[in-house]
Amino acid sequence: MLRFVVLSDLHAHQKDVDDASAPSRLSSLPRHQDKSTNPIAAFPDVLSNSGFVPHLIVCPGDLGDKNDSVAQDYAWRSLENLKKRLRANRLVGVVGNHDLDSRRADVSLLPNSNLRSLSPTFPLSSKGKSAKYWSDGFVFYDYENTCLLLVNSCAFHGVATTGAAEEHLHGKISKDAIQAIRKQIRQKCKSINVLVVHHHIKQHPWIPDENSHIENGPELLEVLSQTGFQWLVIHGHAHMPNISYADNTPLSPIVFSAGSVSANLWAVPNRFPRNQAYAIDVSGVPGNGLRGRITAWDWAPYVGWSPAAMTSGLPFQSGFGLRPDLSTITTQVDALFTKRASQYLDWATVAAEVDALIYLIPEDRASAFEALRTVGITVHFDAGRNPTIFSRN
């Protein structure tokens, strides 16, 4: 099993957190390091209360806002300190568009100069692996039974000029890099395989008109699918929490779209995204598949971290790795009511006995709840639309 924390799109800055022009709730100023205003400072408490001890801390990019070198250094050091406090073994990052001088404000330096001067070394503690990430646009990194593939979706930002003035507006992976990945990837696969990248690898389902996803991303997804192993793809950038399958095949890549820990957010139709952080555990299963559980928390300044609401993006508890067999789920839940001779069952009891419910993505879990309703079983929710009680008519 791999256990890791995802903290994405920090967008740290050097302003007051209550300044209307501040891009996020994460300031490097000394007066904003208390738990009431700093989501990173407050996070160890909520994780300790959950009993979750991660192996990895993963940041899918955008440490600081608009290539702010002071804020980037502050954010990376904050994540390193968090790694130590949580007793995690590794800190893993990838570059985001805000981490580079994409518009070449200082032509005397390379676009990635700030990141390459960070301590500890970015994006991995291994200097050799980090150098390969920068030179090749990707790197494979082994951690016990896990293969991590880190991809630089910003490799063309601030570098390509002729005929490519808008490169900074979207992600991209070159066909040469994809071909190099294709040649190596099958022999690199382990029981757990995870791709970490900043930009969304395919069109985000919440924002169909948005166009900053990775150019050649679908081809990279195809490479993952052809390995014969299921891959978990983790990305940030859009600040819109979601989890979905890339396609309908049994070993379809699982696409985890992380919300932002602290950045200012915007609404999309019928959605109300919040700042979120995640604890994920994932295991390999027979047949080269993956199965995992996700715990999500919402952040609110002066309130702190709290269990995520369904409307926030990802709910407090969800999962992935099982497609719903609605008939089996309804039969098992109905049988549990008979077995317990009760009209009411709490969520913990049902999930413990019908564990398929744990490993459904939120969209599929909603379908399962609707199927239960058709056989006379009602699911009741708390104020955050998380399931609490099942009742049978």
Side-chain angles (χ1 to χ4, degrees):
M1 176 186 290
L2 176 70
R3 310 187 94 192
F4 59 99
V5 164
V6 177
L7 302 167
S8 189
D9 292 85
L10 280 63
H11 287 269
H13 55 86
Q14 300 182 65
K15 299 181 179 182
D16 284 313
V17 294
D18 293 321
D19 187 325
S21 66
S24 81
R25 306 299 306 191
L26 185 65
S27 172
S28 63
L29 297 178
R31 60 180 173 272
H32 291 309
Q33 304 310 306
D34 62 283
K35 296 177 182 180
S36 67
T37 60
N38 187 306
I40 305 300
F43 190 64
D45 289 346
V46 72
L47 206 64
S48 296
N49 291 338
S50 74
F52 188 92
V53 179
H55 302 115
L56 308 176
I57 307 294
V58 177
C59 178
D62 281 357
L63 291 170
D65 195 72
K66 296 181 177 64
N67 195 39
D68 183 329
S69 61
V70 173
Q72 286 172 334
D73 178 70
Y74 163 77
W76 192 238
R77 284 188 291 105
S78 294
L79 292 177
E80 172 67 14
N81 291 336
L82 181 68
K83 183 200 79 172
K84 294 175 180 177
R85 286 198 60 187
L86 298 179
R87 303 191 304 280
N89 296 322
R90 300 286 189 276
L91 172 60
V92 177
V94 291
V95 59
N97 54 300
H98 276 264
D99 295 321
L100 300 170
D101 183 8
S102 298
R103 294 168 176 80
R104 308 305 283 122
D106 186 350
V107 295
S108 68
L109 298 173
L110 291 172
N112 61 7
S113 291
N114 291 347
L115 290 181
R116 299 193 74 164
S117 65
L118 290 177
S119 179
T121 307
F122 182 93
L124 294 161
S125 59
S126 166
K127 292 184 178 180
K129 291 289 187 180
S130 295
K132 193 168 181 62
Y133 174 83
W134 292 117
S135 63
D136 295 356
F138 71 92
V139 68
F140 288 98
Y141 180 74
D142 291 342
Y143 175 78
E144 297 184 354
N145 64 339
T146 300
C147 169
L148 290 167
L149 171 57
L150 310 185
V151 168
N152 182 358
S153 62
C154 306
F156 289 81
H157 288 202
V159 177
T161 54
T162 304
E166 302 302 310
E167 284 288 350
H168 64 275
L169 298 179
H170 61 85
K172 185 175 182 177
I173 179 170
S174 71
K175 290 190 177 292
D176 285 345
I178 290 176
Q179 185 60 22
I181 292 171
R182 190 190 304 273
K183 289 180 179 179
Q184 303 175 48
I185 193 168
R186 185 60 180 82
Q187 65 190 34
K188 298 285 188 180
C189 287
K190 295 197 171 188
S191 60
I192 300 172
N193 301 283
V194 181
L195 164 67
V196 186
V197 66
H198 179 64
H199 291 85
H200 29 305
I201 199 168
K202 65 184 184 73
Q203 191 74 52
H204 195 292
W206 287 21
I207 38 180
D209 298 328
E210 206 270 344
N211 60 3
S212 66
H213 51 279
I214 299 173
E215 183 177 326
N216 301 322
E219 187 173 345
L220 180 56
L221 276 174
E222 182 182 1
V223 170
L224 301 182
S225 297
Q226 291 173 347
T227 62
F229 287 81
Q230 191 164 36
W231 282 74
L232 173 61
V233 179
I234 300 172
H235 74 80
H237 183 62
H239 306 175
M240 299 290 176
N242 189 64
I243 187 163
S244 62
Y245 296 100
D247 55 54
N248 292 321
T249 59
L251 294 179
S252 165
I254 302 153
V255 181
F256 178 82
S257 306
S260 168
V261 169
S262 49
N264 295 339
L265 303 173
W266 57 89
V268 296
N270 302 314
R271 303 283 184 170
F272 304 93
R274 296 280 299 276
N275 294 124
Q276 291 195 321
Y278 311 97
I280 302 175
D281 64 65
V282 56
S283 300
V285 296
N288 297 336
L290 296 176
R291 194 163 296 167
R293 295 178 294 179
I294 305 168
T295 304
W297 293 272
D298 291 342
W299 168 260
Y302 306 108
V303 174
W305 291 104
S306 58
M310 177 68 76
T311 53
S312 302
L314 288 179
F316 178 49
Q317 293 179 328
S318 62
F320 55 86
L322 278 181
R323 302 296 178 90
D325 181 340
L326 300 181
S327 176
T328 299
I329 289 174
T330 55
T331 298
Q332 289 178 337
V333 175
D334 190 62
L336 184 59
F337 273 99
T338 301
K339 175 183 175 183
R340 296 298 180 98
S342 174
Q343 185 182 350
Y344 300 97
L345 295 172
D346 62 31
W347 163 253
T349 298
V350 176
E353 294 285 339
V354 187
D355 63 353
L357 291 171
I358 298 174
Y359 299 107
L360 298 178
I361 64 173
E363 182 179 354
D364 289 343
R365 184 180 290 175
S367 297
F369 290 166
E370 177 61 21
L372 287 169
R373 187 190 64 80
T374 65
V375 297
I377 297 173
T378 302
V379 183
H380 304 269
F381 303 90
D382 63 17
R385 294 294 297 166
N386 290 303
T388 55
I389 300 292
F390 293 66
S391 63
R392 185 169 68 172
N393 297 338

